[in-house]
Each structure stands twice: as structure tokens, then as C-alpha cells.
Amino acid sequence: MTTQTVLAAAGTVSGGEAVTFWILAPLALLGAIGMVAARNAVHSALWLVLTMLCLGVFYVVQAGPFIGLVQIIVYTGAIMMLFLFVLMLVGRGASDSLIETLRGQRIAALVLGIGFAGLVGTGLYRALAGGTVAGLTAANAEGNVQGVARLLFTKYVLAFELTSALLITAAVGAMVLAHVERRREDRMDQVATMKARFRPGNYPGPKPGPGVFATSSSVATPALLPDGRLSERSTPEILPVRELTAEDTTLKGTEK
């Protein structure tokens, strides 16, 4: 790719595209830095969501609506939510442990990361060096969706199937990590479950819903029993009980 070709391609950037880039590029960079710097795994995933959303908008601006929507819907909306679901299943604490279980793992990770970045950069340079910018006109001759689908299911079908297998393996691995095997003595049979349910002090029957026999359907309104008393079991303890007026406490059908 020559310098003249790059300058020619850069000169075709419209005003709206430039404004979009200068607004979203700092946000994407901020999300990437926040993902690496965040101590909480959930916060790190949310920072990555911000970066992925900005990348999706960049794809749409660069005349790639299909890959842009895939970036937002699939990667941001599905895969990242899967990551958050896995984190909640595994039960991460407020902050990850900073104690190294393997000595030298940070140095090894740094060296391997730099080596991997060098390999990717070298591969991209050798693949793009001396090439010319073809643009998306020929690739999108029949439409962007049709062009991407043709590449996915012909030239890159093997990589596409391997990626789907990788995602399924990750989901199965998350379920295996989240599974907790209970001891045989901790398992309760039907007789023990029935005795625990009807033990004195428990409430074996279904609790009345909020607003039952009341003039309001608010979840903070306690239910009224047939004799007119309030049922404390009908409202969660975390909710403040709404103050009832004389009209609310009057039994239905008895107002004058």
C-alpha cells in the first residue's frame, strides 16, 4: 500500500465521518484503557462493551452496515452478556485476587503478549505491503449482506464453523466451572423436604400477593385479610410499606 494511495483514501473522508471519528475514538480508547485497568471483572467487561459499541458505529460509517450490526448485536449484545453471565455464575468478588499462584506468570504473560503482537503485526504487514486499495464497490456489488455471506460460507466457512465450536466449548466450560457438586449427605430426599416445609415457624402455603383485597395494586401495599387485618407476608421486607388511608383499609363493598 503506497503513501499516495493512503493519502487519496484519507482525502475522501467526509465531514460527518470525521466528526464521528473524533467523538467516538476517544471513547473507544477510554473503554480499552478502562478494560485493562479495572480491578473488577464486571467493570472490565462493561468497559469492553463501550469499545465494541464504538467499533460497531465505525463499521457502519465505513459503509459496512452488516458487520457493524453484527458487532453491536452479536458481540456486544450476546457474547459480552454471556461473559457477564459467566462471571455472575462463577461468583467473582468485588475485586480479583492479586496473589500470584504461579511465579513469574506476569513476566511470562508480558513476553508472550509482546511476541503475539509482533507476530500479528508482521503478518498484517506482509499481507498488506505492496497492495492497492480496492474499495468496497466490487465487494458490495450485490449488497453488503450478500458479499459478507458469500465469503463466510465459501472462503471462510472453516473458520466460521471453528469459531462457533469455540463459543459452544466456552459455554460448556462456563457451566462446568459454575457447577457445584453437593455431597450425598447434604442432599435432601422427599421426606426430609416435606418435614422441613411443614416445620413450625415456616409458611407452607403460597403467600398472598400484594394488593389482594385492597384498593391499590402497588407492590408496596400490603394485602388485606378477610377480617380486615394487614398481611405482613404479602410485601417484601426491603420495600417500605405505603401508608394506607381510611378508604384503603375499608373492606370493598362496604363503602357508603
Side-chain angles (χ1 to χ4, degrees), residues 95-203:
S95 60
D96 293 332
S97 177
L98 299 179
I99 301 176
E100 294 188 6
T101 55
L102 298 176
R103 293 183 178 180
Q105 61 177 342
R106 293 189 179 183
I107 299 177
L110 181 61
V111 173
L112 292 176
I114 295 176
F116 179 74
L119 289 175
V120 173
T122 304
L124 289 176
Y125 175 77
R126 296 184 62 180
L128 301 177
T132 58
V133 179
L136 296 177
T137 304
N140 296 336
E142 300 178 1
N144 179 257
V145 177
Q146 290 80 358
V148 174
R150 186 184 303 108
L151 291 176
L152 282 181
F153 294 102
T154 56
K155 185 177 180 181
Y156 300 104
V157 62
L158 180 60
F160 183 72
E161 295 297 335
L162 289 178
T163 303
S164 61
L166 178 62
L167 294 177
I168 295 176
T169 305
V172 174
M175 290 187 290
V176 172
L177 291 176
H179 177 70
V180 178
E181 186 70 24
R182 292 188 300 175
R183 297 180 301 176
R184 182 180 299 272
E185 53 269 19
D186 294 337
R187 299 176 183 176
M188 296 179 61
D189 54 8
Q190 183 62 31
V191 177
T193 304
M194 181 184 63
K195 290 181 179 180
R197 179 181 178 185
F198 291 94
R199 188 173 299 157
N202 291 341
Y203 195 88

Side-chain angles (χ1 to χ4, degrees), residues 224-230 249 251:
L224 294 180
L225 299 176
D227 57 359
R229 293 182 295 108
L230 299 179
T249 57
L251 295 178

Side-chain angles (χ1 to χ4, degrees), residues 3-22:
T3 306
Q4 292 79 6
T5 305
V6 174
L7 293 177
T12 60
V13 177
S14 61
E17 184 178 348
V19 172
T20 303
F21 175 80
W22 288 112

Side-chain angles (χ1 to χ4, degrees), residues 224-246:
L224 294 180
L225 299 176
D227 57 359
R229 293 182 295 108
L230 299 179
S231 175
E232 298 180 355
R233 300 179 182 271
S234 62
T235 55
E237 298 180 357
I238 194 174
L239 293 178
V241 179
R242 188 171 67 88
E243 296 293 336
L244 301 179
T245 62

